[in-house]
Amino acid sequence: MLKVDKLNQYYGESHTLWDLDLEVPRGECTCVMGRNGVGKTTLLKCVMGEVSVSNGSILFADDVELTKRRIEDRSRLGIGYVPQGRQIFPLLTVEENLRTGLAARADGKRTIPKRIFELFPVLEEMRHRRGGDLSGGQQQQLAIGRALVIEPRLLILDEPGEGIQPNIVTQIGEVIRKLIREDGLTVLLVEQKLPFARKYADRFVIMDRGRGVAKGSIGELSDDLIKQHLTV
Ligand SMILES: Nc1ncnc2c1ncn2[C@@H]1O[C@H](COP(=O)(O)OP(=O)(O)O)[C@@H](O)[C@H]1O
Ligand SMILES: [Mg+2]
């Protein structure tokens, strides 16, 4: 679904991503792991077109070169993005937050798919509450809901479990598996929480100082790799 090839990225003079490769197979959850500051969010921002790429290729759905596309093409092509820190609109209601996602739909449909409320009943209950009045976990569910209103083919999540109560982290993990199983979605996840990755991801990629250093099926994520690249 997504294939990143020899990607290089700079913030000014600072070389952040080095010849990075990443493959995200269809119908699976691929988890990018790595310590703080290794470039995980930067990689996702390159995919989303929010930072410019120096060189390398990002191929979506076999034949779309994303580095040559405009930012807004991502959602039209079917890529949903849940940024780190959620970034919902605190003064808008839950429903209004969800509606902001609709503008990016390729088909012009302007109703919130019922599926969102099936997956996250709390969003229906809280439909008229302001985003800022929700708990951190509910805001994360809202951010995921907003990314899903375009009914994407690829869902990208940046540390969805960060700073959230454990029961909602579990709910989010279950929703990810449900979306893969029932909706045929492909998921690219950044997550530092090891138990979460082990439980909900199919594959892992480890980054260290801007480079890809290990990858495999999640069962191959060894204690050695964890010690070398993930523990502080
Ligand atoms: N907008 C920016 N300008 C300059 N440097 C940045 C910017 N955003 C991130 N960085 C730097 O790039 C590196 C990678 O950051 P980031 O991709 O956020 O890492 P991660 O998500 O793995 O924690 C870090 O050293 C960070 O300080
Ligand atoms: Mg990050």
Side-chain angles (χ1 to χ4, degrees):
M1 182 62 80
L2 190 73
K3 193 169 185 297
V4 175
D5 205 29
K6 293 227 177 324
L7 191 70
N8 284 277
Q9 193 273 348
Y10 293 76
Y11 288 115
E13 303 271 280
S14 158
H15 197 166
T16 311
L17 300 181
W18 301 69
D19 286 336
L20 195 82
D21 295 337
L22 171 73
E23 258 185 85
V24 181
R26 278 193 173 80
E28 293 189 357
C29 176
T30 301
C31 183
V32 175
M33 312 183 76
R35 297 186 183 104
N36 278 328
V38 298
K40 304 180 298 296
T41 296
T42 301
L43 168 63
L44 300 189
K45 285 184 174 173
C46 288
V47 174
M48 293 313 293
E50 290 184 8
V51 298
S52 57
V53 164
S54 166
N55 56 63
S57 148
I58 306 175
L59 210 57
F60 175 67
D62 300 325
D63 57 358
V64 184
E65 179 52 60
L66 289 179
T67 54
K68 298 193 166 64
R69 296 295 195 116
R70 293 170 305 168
I71 289 191
E72 57 270 27
D73 287 347
R74 269 72 176 173
S75 39
R76 301 216 166 86
L77 287 162
I79 306 178
Y81 178 45
V82 184
Q84 189 166 18
R86 313 188 271 276
Q87 298 173 25
I88 59 139
F89 300 104
L91 298 180
L92 298 186
T93 65
V94 166
E95 182 171 339
E96 287 164 344
N97 267 281
L98 292 171
R99 287 194 179 284
T100 62
L102 284 173
R105 279 190 71 108
D107 60 4
K109 208 175 131 203
R110 291 293 175 263
T111 46
I112 300 164
K114 285 196 177 62
R115 181 71 169 149
I116 311 293
F117 298 120
E118 269 169 40
L119 293 167
F120 299 114
V122 67
L123 297 182
E124 178 128 65
E125 287 158 35
M126 302 222 162
R127 204 170 176 134
H128 303 295
R129 297 272 284 277
R130 284 188 183 190
D133 295 337
L134 272 53
S135 74
Q138 291 163 346
Q139 288 184 11
Q140 187 63 265
Q141 291 170 306
L142 174 56
I144 298 171
R146 183 178 57 187
L148 289 174
V149 297
I150 62 162
E151 297 174 279
R153 289 189 277 172
L154 171 66
L155 180 65
I156 298 180
L157 304 116
D158 197 348
E159 304 216 29
E162 201 178 27
I164 286 175
Q165 53 273 45
N167 64 320
I168 296 194
V169 175
T170 302
Q171 280 178 32
I172 288 171
E174 297 299 331
V175 163
I176 288 173
R177 290 319 306 183
K178 203 169 183 174
L179 285 164
I180 291 172
R181 197 173 58 237
E182 296 174 10
D183 302 51
L185 209 72
T186 301
V187 177
L188 170 59
L189 172 74
V190 165
E191 187 53 69
Q192 298 201 51
K193 288 194 169 79
L194 212 51
F196 189 87
R198 283 220 159 105
K199 184 146 184 223
Y200 299 111
D202 300 297
R203 313 190 54 77
F204 73 93
V205 174
I206 299 179
M207 288 177 63
D208 206 341
R209 278 163 287 174
R211 300 171 194 270
V213 291
K215 63 180 178 180
S217 64
I218 200 74
E220 294 168 336
L221 181 54
S222 66
D223 292 343
D224 256 9
L225 283 174
I226 292 164
K227 210 163 134 193
Q228 209 179 339
H229 301 290
L230 299 175
T231 49
V232 278

